[in-house]
Amino acid sequence: MSIGKTAWAIPEGFLPDFGPHPDDRKLRSHEAACILNANACDAHVTLTIFFGDREPAGPYRITVPARRTLHLRFDDLREPEAIPRNTDYASVFEADVPVVIQHTRLDARPGERALLSTLAFGAEA
Amino acid sequence: MSIGKTAWAIPEGFLPDFGPHPDDRKLRSHEAACILNANACDAHVTLTIFFGDREPAGPYRITVPARRTLHLRFDDLREPEAIPRNTDYASVFEADVPVVIQHTRLDARPGERALLSTLAFGAEA
Amino acid sequence: MSIGKTAWAIPEGFLPDFGPHPDDRKLRSHEAACILNANACDAHVTLTIFFGDREPAGPYRITVPARRTLHLRFDDLREPEAIPRNTDYASVFEADVPVVIQHTRLDARPGERALLSTLAFGAEA
Amino acid sequence: MSIGKTAWAIPEGFLPDFGPHPDDRKLRSHEAACILNANACDAHVTLTIFFGDREPAGPYRITVPARRTLHLRFDDLREPEAIPRNTDYASVFEADVPVVIQHTRLDARPGERALLSTLAFGAEA
Protein backbone atom coordinates (compact mmCIF):
# COMPACT_ATOMS: atom_id res chain seq x y z
CA MET A 1 0.00 0.00 0.00
CA SER A 2 1.34 3.43 -0.93
CA ILE A 3 -0.37 6.66 0.07
CA GLY A 4 0.89 10.22 0.35
CA LYS A 5 3.19 12.76 -1.21
CA THR A 6 6.96 13.16 -1.37
CA ALA A 7 7.17 16.77 -0.12
CA TRP A 8 5.45 18.31 2.90
CA ALA A 9 5.53 21.73 4.55
CA ILE A 10 4.50 22.90 8.04
CA PRO A 11 4.57 26.72 8.16
CA GLU A 12 3.76 26.92 11.90
CA GLY A 13 6.47 25.92 14.32
CA PHE A 14 7.07 27.05 17.90
CA LEU A 15 8.40 25.22 20.94
CA PRO A 16 6.85 26.90 24.02
CA ASP A 17 8.41 26.79 27.49
CA PHE A 18 8.26 23.35 29.10
CA GLY A 19 5.42 24.18 31.51
CA PRO A 20 4.85 22.57 34.93
CA HIS A 21 5.96 19.04 33.95
CA PRO A 22 9.47 19.64 32.56
CA ASP A 23 10.58 16.08 33.37
CA ASP A 24 7.53 14.35 31.87
CA ARG A 25 8.32 13.78 28.25
CA LYS A 26 4.65 13.28 27.31
CA LEU A 27 3.23 16.29 29.22
CA ARG A 28 5.85 19.00 28.72
CA SER A 29 5.36 21.37 25.79
CA HIS A 30 6.41 19.87 22.49
CA GLU A 31 5.74 19.67 18.78
CA ALA A 32 5.64 16.58 16.63
CA ALA A 33 5.57 15.73 12.95
CA CYS A 34 3.70 12.44 12.69
CA ILE A 35 4.99 10.62 9.62
CA LEU A 36 3.21 7.61 8.15
CA ASN A 37 5.12 5.32 5.80
CA ALA A 38 2.62 2.76 4.50
CA ASN A 39 5.02 1.50 1.84
CA ALA A 40 6.69 -1.91 1.81
CA CYS A 41 10.12 -0.18 1.83
CA ASP A 42 11.84 2.26 4.20
CA ALA A 43 11.30 5.99 3.68
CA HIS A 44 14.34 8.26 3.78
CA VAL A 45 13.27 11.74 4.79
CA THR A 46 15.24 14.98 4.68
CA LEU A 47 14.09 17.83 6.93
CA THR A 48 14.95 21.51 6.61
CA ILE A 49 14.04 24.05 9.31
CA PHE A 50 13.31 27.65 8.28
CA PHE A 51 13.51 30.65 10.62
CA GLY A 52 12.48 34.30 10.55
CA ASP A 53 15.87 35.88 10.77
CA ARG A 54 18.60 33.42 9.80
CA GLU A 55 19.51 30.86 7.16
CA PRO A 56 17.74 27.47 7.36
CA ALA A 57 19.08 24.62 9.51
CA GLY A 58 19.62 21.13 8.22
CA PRO A 59 19.41 18.85 6.51
CA TYR A 60 18.20 16.52 9.25
CA ARG A 61 18.04 12.91 8.05
CA ILE A 62 15.31 10.57 9.28
CA THR A 63 14.41 7.01 8.34
CA VAL A 64 10.87 5.72 8.78
CA PRO A 65 10.88 1.92 8.44
CA ALA A 66 8.53 0.13 6.05
CA ARG A 67 4.92 -0.04 7.27
CA ARG A 68 5.65 2.05 10.35
CA THR A 69 4.73 5.46 11.74
CA LEU A 70 7.22 7.80 13.38
CA HIS A 71 5.94 10.57 15.63
CA LEU A 72 9.01 12.77 15.35
CA ARG A 73 9.51 15.17 18.24
CA PHE A 74 11.06 18.45 17.08
CA ASP A 75 12.59 18.89 20.53
CA ASP A 76 14.51 15.65 19.99
CA LEU A 77 16.42 16.96 16.98
CA ARG A 78 20.13 17.37 17.69
CA GLU A 79 22.04 16.74 14.47
CA PRO A 80 23.15 19.10 12.94
CA GLU A 81 21.68 21.41 15.63
CA ALA A 82 18.86 21.68 18.20
CA ILE A 83 15.85 23.94 17.56
CA PRO A 84 15.70 26.77 20.11
CA ARG A 85 12.56 27.25 22.24
CA ASN A 86 10.39 30.38 21.95
CA THR A 87 11.44 30.88 18.33
CA ASP A 88 9.23 30.92 15.23
CA TYR A 89 10.15 28.29 12.68
CA ALA A 90 8.74 26.28 9.76
CA SER A 91 9.68 22.92 8.29
CA VAL A 92 9.91 21.19 4.92
CA PHE A 93 10.16 17.41 4.52
CA GLU A 94 11.31 15.61 1.37
CA ALA A 95 10.97 11.83 1.10
CA ASP A 96 12.08 9.26 -1.46
CA VAL A 97 8.69 7.49 -1.33
CA PRO A 98 5.17 8.85 -0.64
CA VAL A 99 4.42 9.53 3.03
CA VAL A 100 1.74 11.43 4.95
CA ILE A 101 2.60 14.05 7.61
CA GLN A 102 0.48 15.65 10.31
CA HIS A 103 1.59 18.40 12.70
CA THR A 104 0.71 18.47 16.41
CA ARG A 105 1.68 20.79 19.27
CA LEU A 106 1.07 20.35 22.98
CA ASP A 107 1.35 23.70 24.74
CA ALA A 108 1.78 23.23 28.50
CA ARG A 109 2.53 26.81 29.53
CA PRO A 110 0.96 28.28 32.76
CA GLY A 111 -0.25 24.84 33.79
CA GLU A 112 -3.06 24.11 31.36
CA ARG A 113 -2.70 22.01 28.27
CA ALA A 114 -3.77 23.11 24.80
CA LEU A 115 -3.44 21.03 21.67
CA LEU A 116 -3.36 21.94 18.02
CA SER A 117 -3.06 19.69 15.03
CA THR A 118 -3.39 19.91 11.28
CA LEU A 119 -2.45 17.95 8.25
CA ALA A 120 0.70 19.37 6.69
CA PHE A 121 0.75 20.71 3.12
CA GLY A 122 1.59 17.92 0.69
CA ALA A 123 3.10 18.27 -2.76
CA GLU A 124 5.21 16.35 -5.23
CA ALA A 125 8.92 17.10 -4.86
CA MET B 1 -24.76 12.97 -3.87
CA SER B 2 -21.20 11.64 -3.85
CA ILE B 3 -18.29 13.53 -2.31
CA GLY B 4 -14.90 12.42 -1.10
CA LYS B 5 -12.06 10.04 -1.78
CA THR B 6 -11.60 6.28 -1.47
CA ALA B 7 -8.38 6.30 0.59
CA TRP B 8 -7.60 8.33 3.70
CA ALA B 9 -4.65 8.51 6.09
CA ILE B 10 -4.33 9.92 9.63
CA PRO B 11 -0.65 9.95 10.65
CA GLU B 12 -1.33 11.14 14.21
CA GLY B 13 -2.85 8.64 16.61
CA PHE B 14 -2.58 8.40 20.40
CA LEU B 15 -5.07 7.35 23.05
CA PRO B 16 -4.15 9.23 26.27
CA ASP B 17 -5.05 8.00 29.75
CA PHE B 18 -8.78 8.22 30.51
CA GLY B 19 -8.55 11.31 32.74
CA PRO B 20 -10.89 12.16 35.62
CA HIS B 21 -14.11 10.87 33.97
CA PRO B 22 -13.20 7.25 33.12
CA ASP B 23 -16.83 6.14 33.18
CA ASP B 24 -18.19 8.97 31.05
CA ARG B 25 -17.90 7.83 27.47
CA LYS B 26 -18.17 11.37 26.10
CA LEU B 27 -15.69 13.05 28.48
CA ARG B 28 -12.94 10.47 28.90
CA SER B 29 -9.94 10.73 26.56
CA HIS B 30 -10.63 9.33 23.12
CA GLU B 31 -9.97 9.64 19.41
CA ALA B 32 -12.47 9.45 16.61
CA ALA B 33 -12.44 9.13 12.84
CA CYS B 34 -15.59 10.87 11.64
CA ILE B 35 -16.64 9.23 8.37
CA LEU B 36 -19.25 10.78 6.09
CA ASN B 37 -20.91 8.59 3.50
CA ALA B 38 -23.12 10.87 1.39
CA ASN B 39 -23.70 8.19 -1.24
CA ALA B 40 -27.01 6.42 -1.90
CA CYS B 41 -25.31 3.07 -1.12
CA ASP B 42 -23.49 1.67 1.91
CA ALA B 43 -19.73 2.24 2.21
CA HIS B 44 -17.54 -0.71 3.14
CA VAL B 45 -14.39 0.56 4.80
CA THR B 46 -11.21 -1.34 5.65
CA LEU B 47 -8.97 0.12 8.36
CA THR B 48 -5.30 -0.68 8.99
CA ILE B 49 -3.47 0.57 12.10
CA PHE B 50 0.27 1.29 11.86
CA PHE B 51 2.65 1.40 14.82
CA GLY B 52 6.21 2.53 15.50
CA ASP B 53 7.71 -0.78 16.42
CA ARG B 54 5.55 -3.67 15.21
CA GLU B 55 3.68 -4.89 12.15
CA PRO B 56 0.33 -3.22 11.38
CA ALA B 57 -2.94 -4.40 12.94
CA GLY B 58 -6.04 -5.17 10.93
CA PRO B 59 -7.84 -5.19 8.74
CA TYR B 60 -10.76 -3.78 10.73
CA ARG B 61 -14.00 -3.85 8.72
CA ILE B 62 -16.56 -1.06 9.10
CA THR B 63 -19.82 -0.36 7.27
CA VAL B 64 -21.19 3.16 7.03
CA PRO B 65 -24.79 3.02 5.84
CA ALA B 66 -26.00 5.06 2.87
CA ARG B 67 -26.48 8.78 3.65
CA ARG B 68 -25.16 8.42 7.18
CA THR B 69 -22.16 9.56 9.21
CA LEU B 70 -20.25 7.30 11.60
CA HIS B 71 -18.08 8.87 14.28
CA LEU B 72 -15.86 5.85 14.82
CA ARG B 73 -14.20 5.70 18.24
CA PHE B 74 -10.73 4.14 18.02
CA ASP B 75 -11.09 2.97 21.62
CA ASP B 76 -14.13 0.91 20.55
CA LEU B 77 -12.14 -1.24 18.13
CA ARG B 78 -11.88 -4.86 19.29
CA GLU B 79 -11.75 -7.10 16.23
CA PRO B 80 -9.10 -8.29 15.40
CA GLU B 81 -7.48 -6.49 18.38
CA ALA B 82 -7.83 -3.43 20.64
CA ILE B 83 -5.49 -0.43 20.23
CA PRO B 84 -3.32 0.03 23.35
CA ARG B 85 -3.38 3.39 25.19
CA ASN B 86 -0.27 5.60 25.42
CA THR B 87 1.05 4.23 22.14
CA ASP B 88 1.81 6.12 18.92
CA TYR B 89 -0.14 4.87 15.93
CA ALA B 90 -1.42 5.93 12.51
CA SER B 91 -4.34 4.78 10.41
CA VAL B 92 -5.25 4.17 6.77
CA PHE B 93 -8.82 3.78 5.52
CA GLU B 94 -9.84 2.29 2.18
CA ALA B 95 -13.46 2.48 1.01
CA ASP B 96 -15.36 1.07 -1.94
CA VAL B 97 -17.11 4.40 -2.55
CA PRO B 98 -15.97 8.00 -1.93
CA VAL B 99 -16.18 9.12 1.71
CA VAL B 100 -14.78 12.04 3.73
CA ILE B 101 -12.85 11.51 6.98
CA GLN B 102 -11.93 13.93 9.77
CA HIS B 103 -9.80 13.13 12.82
CA THR B 104 -10.60 14.38 16.34
CA ARG B 105 -8.99 13.75 19.74
CA LEU B 106 -10.29 14.70 23.16
CA ASP B 107 -7.44 14.69 25.67
CA ALA B 108 -8.77 14.61 29.25
CA ARG B 109 -5.52 14.07 31.14
CA PRO B 110 -4.85 16.03 34.41
CA GLY B 111 -8.45 17.16 34.51
CA GLU B 112 -8.60 19.74 31.73
CA ARG B 113 -9.92 19.03 28.28
CA ALA B 114 -8.05 19.77 25.07
CA LEU B 115 -9.33 19.08 21.60
CA LEU B 116 -7.60 18.67 18.29
CA SER B 117 -9.12 18.02 14.90
CA THR B 118 -8.02 18.00 11.29
CA LEU B 119 -9.22 16.71 7.99
CA ALA B 120 -7.47 13.45 7.13
CA PHE B 121 -5.33 13.11 3.99
CA GLY B 122 -7.48 11.95 1.09
CA ALA B 123 -6.31 10.12 -2.02
CA GLU B 124 -7.61 7.74 -4.63
CA ALA B 125 -6.96 4.11 -3.72
CA MET C 1 -11.37 37.59 -7.13
CA SER C 2 -12.65 34.01 -7.07
CA ILE C 3 -11.15 31.32 -4.84
CA GLY C 4 -12.50 28.02 -3.58
CA LYS C 5 -14.65 25.06 -4.50
CA THR C 6 -18.38 24.54 -5.03
CA ALA C 7 -18.82 21.54 -2.70
CA TRP C 8 -17.57 21.11 0.85
CA ALA C 9 -17.93 18.43 3.51
CA ILE C 10 -17.39 18.50 7.30
CA PRO C 11 -17.57 14.93 8.66
CA GLU C 12 -17.24 15.99 12.31
CA GLY C 13 -20.23 17.67 13.90
CA PHE C 14 -21.33 17.76 17.55
CA LEU C 15 -22.98 20.46 19.62
CA PRO C 16 -21.90 19.90 23.25
CA ASP C 17 -23.89 21.11 26.24
CA PHE C 18 -23.88 24.90 26.66
CA GLY C 19 -21.40 24.95 29.54
CA PRO C 20 -21.25 27.60 32.30
CA HIS C 21 -22.14 30.59 30.08
CA PRO C 22 -25.45 29.51 28.51
CA ASP C 23 -26.57 33.10 27.96
CA ASP C 24 -23.34 34.33 26.41
CA ARG C 25 -23.61 33.66 22.71
CA LYS C 26 -19.83 33.91 22.17
CA LEU C 27 -18.75 31.71 25.12
CA ARG C 28 -21.34 28.93 25.19
CA SER C 29 -20.53 25.73 23.30
CA HIS C 30 -21.10 26.05 19.57
CA GLU C 31 -19.94 25.05 16.13
CA ALA C 32 -19.49 27.26 13.10
CA ALA C 33 -18.93 26.86 9.40
CA CYS C 34 -16.98 29.91 8.31
CA ILE C 35 -17.81 30.59 4.67
CA LEU C 36 -15.79 33.00 2.55
CA ASN C 37 -17.32 34.35 -0.65
CA ALA C 38 -14.61 36.39 -2.37
CA ASN C 39 -16.61 36.65 -5.60
CA ALA C 40 -18.18 39.83 -6.97
CA CYS C 41 -21.62 38.11 -6.84
CA ASP C 42 -23.69 36.57 -4.04
CA ALA C 43 -23.18 32.89 -3.22
CA HIS C 44 -26.27 30.71 -2.80
CA VAL C 45 -25.40 27.77 -0.55
CA THR C 46 -27.43 24.64 0.14
CA LEU C 47 -26.63 22.71 3.33
CA THR C 48 -27.54 19.10 4.12
CA ILE C 49 -27.04 17.62 7.61
CA PHE C 50 -26.26 13.89 7.92
CA PHE C 51 -26.84 11.83 11.06
CA GLY C 52 -25.88 8.38 12.33
CA ASP C 53 -29.31 6.89 12.61
CA ARG C 54 -31.83 8.82 10.57
CA GLU C 55 -32.33 10.36 7.14
CA PRO C 56 -30.54 13.65 6.43
CA ALA C 57 -32.06 17.02 7.32
CA GLY C 58 -32.36 19.88 4.89
CA PRO C 59 -31.89 21.47 2.59
CA TYR C 60 -31.00 24.61 4.53
CA ARG C 61 -30.59 27.63 2.25
CA ILE C 62 -27.99 30.30 2.99
CA THR C 63 -26.90 33.38 1.04
CA VAL C 64 -23.42 34.82 1.50
CA PRO C 65 -23.30 38.29 -0.07
CA ALA C 66 -20.62 39.24 -2.58
CA ARG C 67 -17.19 39.91 -1.02
CA ARG C 68 -18.37 38.93 2.46
CA THR C 69 -17.71 36.17 4.99
CA LEU C 70 -20.46 34.44 6.97
CA HIS C 71 -19.54 32.59 10.15
CA LEU C 72 -22.60 30.35 10.21
CA ARG C 73 -23.53 29.03 13.65
CA PHE C 74 -24.97 25.52 13.43
CA ASP C 75 -26.96 26.20 16.61
CA ASP C 76 -28.71 29.05 14.79
CA LEU C 77 -30.24 26.77 12.15
CA ARG C 78 -34.03 26.54 12.46
CA GLU C 79 -35.51 26.04 9.00
CA PRO C 80 -36.46 23.28 8.19
CA GLU C 81 -35.39 22.01 11.67
CA ALA C 82 -32.94 22.67 14.51
CA ILE C 83 -29.91 20.38 15.05
CA PRO C 84 -30.17 18.56 18.41
CA ARG C 85 -27.33 18.88 20.95
CA ASN C 86 -25.23 15.87 21.99
CA THR C 87 -25.80 14.19 18.64
CA ASP C 88 -23.20 13.18 16.03
CA TYR C 89 -23.72 14.80 12.65
CA ALA C 90 -21.90 15.77 9.46
CA SER C 91 -22.56 18.44 6.86
CA VAL C 92 -22.30 18.97 3.11
CA PHE C 93 -22.41 22.39 1.45
CA GLU C 94 -23.11 23.04 -2.24
CA ALA C 95 -22.65 26.52 -3.68
CA ASP C 96 -23.35 28.09 -7.07
CA VAL C 97 -19.96 29.87 -7.06
CA PRO C 98 -16.60 28.89 -5.52
CA VAL C 99 -16.36 29.48 -1.76
CA VAL C 100 -13.99 28.36 1.01
CA ILE C 101 -15.25 26.75 4.23
CA GLN C 102 -13.54 26.18 7.59
CA HIS C 103 -15.02 24.33 10.58
CA THR C 104 -14.63 25.51 14.18
CA ARG C 105 -16.01 24.24 17.48
CA LEU C 106 -15.89 25.88 20.90
CA ASP C 107 -16.46 23.28 23.61
CA ALA C 108 -17.37 24.94 26.92
CA ARG C 109 -18.31 21.87 28.95
CA PRO C 110 -17.18 21.58 32.64
CA GLY C 111 -16.09 25.18 32.65
CA GLU C 112 -12.97 25.14 30.49
CA ARG C 113 -12.88 26.11 26.88
CA ALA C 114 -11.40 23.98 24.13
CA LEU C 115 -11.26 24.90 20.48
CA LEU C 116 -10.89 22.85 17.36
CA SER C 117 -10.74 24.00 13.78
CA THR C 118 -9.93 22.56 10.39
CA LEU C 119 -10.41 23.38 6.77
CA ALA C 120 -13.37 21.46 5.38
CA PHE C 121 -12.97 19.03 2.47
CA GLY C 122 -13.43 20.85 -0.83
CA ALA C 123 -14.47 19.34 -4.15
CA GLU C 124 -16.19 20.30 -7.36
CA ALA C 125 -19.93 19.66 -7.24
CA MET D 1 13.40 24.62 -3.26
CA SER D 2 9.90 25.80 -4.14
CA ILE D 3 6.79 24.45 -2.45
CA GLY D 4 3.26 25.82 -2.14
CA LYS D 5 0.59 27.79 -3.93
CA THR D 6 0.18 31.43 -4.93
CA ALA D 7 -3.28 32.01 -3.43
CA TRP D 8 -4.52 31.10 0.04
CA ALA D 9 -7.73 31.64 1.95
CA ILE D 10 -8.56 31.48 5.68
CA PRO D 11 -12.35 31.69 6.17
CA GLU D 12 -12.16 31.76 9.99
CA GLY D 13 -10.91 34.94 11.60
CA PHE D 14 -11.67 36.39 15.03
CA LEU D 15 -9.53 38.32 17.49
CA PRO D 16 -10.91 37.58 20.99
CA ASP D 17 -10.45 39.89 23.96
CA PHE D 18 -6.86 40.04 25.24
CA GLY D 19 -7.46 37.85 28.30
CA PRO D 20 -5.54 38.04 31.59
CA HIS D 21 -2.11 38.81 30.06
CA PRO D 22 -2.83 41.91 27.94
CA ASP D 23 0.79 43.07 28.12
CA ASP D 24 2.37 39.73 27.22
CA ARG D 25 2.57 39.64 23.45
CA LYS D 26 2.97 35.85 23.39
CA LEU D 27 0.15 34.97 25.84
CA ARG D 28 -2.59 37.47 25.02
CA SER D 29 -5.24 36.39 22.53
CA HIS D 30 -4.08 36.60 18.94
CA GLU D 31 -4.25 35.08 15.48
CA ALA D 32 -1.39 34.40 13.12
CA ALA D 33 -0.92 33.46 9.50
CA CYS D 34 2.31 31.49 9.35
CA ILE D 35 3.81 31.99 5.91
CA LEU D 36 6.66 29.84 4.62
CA ASN D 37 8.72 31.09 1.67
CA ALA D 38 11.11 28.28 0.75
CA ASN D 39 12.11 29.96 -2.51
CA ALA D 40 15.49 31.49 -3.27
CA CYS D 41 13.80 34.86 -3.88
CA ASP D 42 11.62 37.15 -1.74
CA ALA D 43 7.85 36.62 -1.75
CA HIS D 44 5.63 39.68 -2.15
CA VAL D 45 2.26 38.95 -0.58
CA THR D 46 -0.96 40.95 -0.84
CA LEU D 47 -3.58 40.40 1.88
CA THR D 48 -7.28 41.29 1.72
CA ILE D 49 -9.53 41.09 4.80
CA PHE D 50 -13.22 40.25 4.32
CA PHE D 51 -15.97 41.07 6.83
CA GLY D 52 -19.60 40.15 7.37
CA ASP D 53 -21.13 43.56 6.93
CA ARG D 54 -18.77 45.92 5.14
CA GLU D 55 -16.49 46.11 2.13
CA PRO D 56 -13.10 44.33 2.39
CA ALA D 57 -10.05 46.04 3.88
CA GLY D 58 -6.71 46.18 2.17
CA PRO D 59 -4.62 45.50 0.35
CA TYR D 60 -2.03 44.90 3.03
CA ARG D 61 1.44 44.38 1.56
CA ILE D 62 3.88 41.94 3.16
CA THR D 63 7.33 40.75 2.12
CA VAL D 64 8.64 37.38 3.25
CA PRO D 65 12.38 37.20 2.55
CA ALA D 66 13.91 34.32 0.61
CA ARG D 67 14.21 31.08 2.62
CA ARG D 68 12.43 32.56 5.65
CA THR D 69 9.17 32.08 7.52
CA LEU D 70 7.03 34.95 8.75
CA HIS D 71 4.49 34.29 11.49
CA LEU D 72 2.28 37.28 10.71
CA ARG D 73 0.18 38.50 13.63
CA PHE D 74 -3.19 39.83 12.47
CA ASP D 75 -3.27 42.13 15.50
CA ASP D 76 -0.08 43.78 14.21
CA LEU D 77 -1.69 44.97 10.98
CA ARG D 78 -2.01 48.76 10.85
CA GLU D 79 -1.69 49.86 7.22
CA PRO D 80 -4.20 50.65 5.70
CA GLU D 81 -6.23 49.91 8.88
CA ALA D 82 -6.25 47.78 12.06
CA ILE D 83 -8.58 44.75 12.35
CA PRO D 84 -11.13 45.29 15.15
CA ARG D 85 -11.40 42.73 17.97
CA ASN D 86 -14.56 40.66 18.50
CA THR D 87 -15.41 40.85 14.81
CA ASP D 88 -15.78 37.97 12.33
CA TYR D 89 -13.43 38.21 9.37
CA ALA D 90 -11.73 36.11 6.70
CA SER D 91 -8.53 36.58 4.72
CA VAL D 92 -7.15 35.98 1.25
CA PHE D 93 -3.43 36.02 0.42
CA GLU D 94 -1.95 36.34 -3.06
CA ALA D 95 1.78 35.86 -3.61
CA ASP D 96 4.10 36.28 -6.59
CA VAL D 97 5.84 32.97 -5.84
CA PRO D 98 4.54 29.74 -4.22
CA VAL D 99 4.24 29.88 -0.44
CA VAL D 100 2.52 27.77 2.23
CA ILE D 101 0.19 29.29 4.85
CA GLN D 102 -1.14 27.89 8.14
CA HIS D 103 -3.63 29.61 10.45
CA THR D 104 -3.32 29.60 14.25
CA ARG D 105 -5.34 31.27 17.02
CA LEU D 106 -4.53 31.54 20.70
CA ASP D 107 -7.68 32.30 22.68
CA ALA D 108 -6.83 33.58 26.17
CA ARG D 109 -10.29 34.65 27.34
CA PRO D 110 -11.43 33.90 30.96
CA GLY D 111 -7.91 32.86 31.91
CA GLU D 112 -7.44 29.52 30.16
CA ARG D 113 -5.67 29.12 26.86
CA ALA D 114 -7.10 27.32 23.86
CA LEU D 115 -5.36 26.86 20.55
CA LEU D 116 -6.63 26.11 17.09
CA SER D 117 -4.68 25.65 13.91
CA THR D 118 -5.28 24.47 10.38
CA LEU D 119 -3.65 24.63 7.03
CA ALA D 120 -5.20 27.38 4.92
CA PHE D 121 -6.90 26.62 1.59
CA GLY D 122 -4.36 26.81 -1.23
CA ALA D 123 -5.06 27.49 -4.90
CA GLU D 124 -3.38 28.91 -7.96
CA ALA D 125 -4.03 32.63 -8.38
Side-chain angles (χ1 to χ4, degrees), chain A residues 69 71 104 112-113 119, chain B residues 11-12 51 54 109 112 118:
Chain A
T69 185
H71 292 196
T104 300
E112 309 304 329
R113 280 168 308 104
L119 202 68
Chain B
E12 166 71 288
F51 298 96
R54 49 156 284 196
R109 289 177 298 184
E112 309 304 331
T118 185

Side-chain angles (χ1 to χ4, degrees), chain A residues 56-108:
Chain A
Y60 300 84
R61 300 188 188 282
I62 304 137
T63 298
V64 185
R67 293 159 58 85
R68 294 291 184 274
T69 185
L70 173 66
H71 292 196
L72 176 73
R73 292 271 297 248
F74 283 97
D75 53 341
D76 281 344
L77 294 173
R78 288 292 175 276
E79 196 58 48
E81 62 185 290
I83 300 179
R85 291 200 173 250
N86 291 305
T87 302
D88 293 337
Y89 66 92
S91 49
V92 171
F93 299 78
E94 294 170 285
D96 59 352
V97 291
V99 297
V100 189
I101 299 185
Q102 183 174 345
H103 169 229
T104 300
R105 179 194 298 163
L106 185 152
D107 183 347

Side-chain angles (χ1 to χ4, degrees), chain C residues 3-24:
Chain C
I3 184 169
K5 302 274 188 178
T6 55
W8 291 86
I10 305 172
E12 167 71 289
F14 186 79
L15 292 169
D17 287 329
F18 281 123
H21 305 287
D23 298 325
D24 186 326

Side-chain angles (χ1 to χ4, degrees), chain C residues 1 3-5 8 26-27 34 36 38 67-69 71 100-102 104 106 112-113 115 117-119, chain D residues 10-14 50-52 54-56 88-90 92 94 103 107 109 112 115-118 121:
Chain C
M1 184 192 315
I3 184 169
K5 302 274 188 178
W8 291 86
K26 286 204 189 319
L27 288 181
C34 301
L36 169 63
R67 294 159 59 85
R68 295 290 183 275
T69 185
H71 292 196
V100 188
I101 300 186
Q102 183 174 345
T104 300
L106 186 151
E112 309 304 331
R113 279 168 306 104
L115 287 171
S117 185
T118 185
L119 202 69
Chain D
I10 304 172
E12 167 72 289
F14 186 79
F50 293 79
F51 298 96
R54 50 156 284 195
E55 282 295 298
D88 292 338
Y89 66 91
V92 171
E94 293 170 285
H103 170 229
D107 182 347
R109 289 177 297 181
E112 308 305 328
L115 286 171
L116 66 80
S117 184
T118 186
F121 174 78

Side-chain angles (χ1 to χ4, degrees), chain A residues 24-28 30 73 106, chain B residues 14 86-88 109:
Chain A
D24 186 326
R25 179 176 164 81
K26 286 206 189 316
L27 288 181
R28 70 184 181 222
H30 66 264
R73 292 271 297 248
L106 185 152
Chain B
F14 186 80
N86 291 305
T87 302
D88 293 337
R109 289 177 298 184

Side-chain angles (χ1 to χ4, degrees), chain A residues 15-80:
Chain A
L15 292 170
D17 287 329
F18 281 123
H21 305 286
D23 298 325
D24 186 326
R25 179 176 164 81
K26 286 206 189 316
L27 288 181
R28 70 184 181 222
S29 293
H30 66 264
E31 286 200 312
C34 300
I35 309 172
L36 169 63
N37 174 19
N39 299 284
C41 62
D42 292 359
H44 303 95
V45 182
T46 300
L47 166 61
T48 304
I49 303 289
F50 293 79
F51 298 96
D53 55 4
R54 48 155 285 195
E55 282 294 298
Y60 300 84
R61 300 188 188 282
I62 304 137
T63 298
V64 185
R67 293 159 58 85
R68 294 291 184 274
T69 185
L70 173 66
H71 292 196
L72 176 73
R73 292 271 297 248
F74 283 97
D75 53 341
D76 281 344
L77 294 173
R78 288 292 175 276
E79 196 58 48

